[in-house]
Amino acid sequence: MLIKVNANPVEVQTDSLADALVELGYTSPAIATALNGSFVSKAARAKTTLKSGDALEVLAPMQGG
């Protein structure tokens, strides 16, 4: 199914947010996710279902100073 990840169109093979993150290579436990503008907690990702056309934002903390 086609979704947008950080504003870029991406094809994923699963409808589970947790599985899609693994498929896309987001394996760090230190990420934040939002689906269609709403925050999705780490605990809710396995139960969150994706639909074609959804917009997923994935944010990872940056180090520096």
Side-chain angles (χ1 to χ4, degrees), residues 1-60:
M1 110 181 68
L2 187 63
I3 63 172
K4 287 188 178 180
V5 179
N6 297 337
N8 297 309
V10 176
E11 187 76 29
V12 293
Q13 301 302 313
T14 183
D15 66 351
S16 160
L17 175 54
D19 292 341
L21 290 170
V22 172
E23 182 180 330
L24 295 168
Y26 293 104
T27 56
S28 171
I31 61 171
T33 55
L35 184 61
N36 299 320
S38 297
F39 173 75
V40 180
S41 69
K42 182 178 181 179
R45 291 176 192 157
K47 296 181 267 182
T48 301
T49 303
L50 299 173
K51 298 180 298 296
S52 185
D54 277 349
L56 174 63
E57 294 291 326
V58 182
L59 303 170

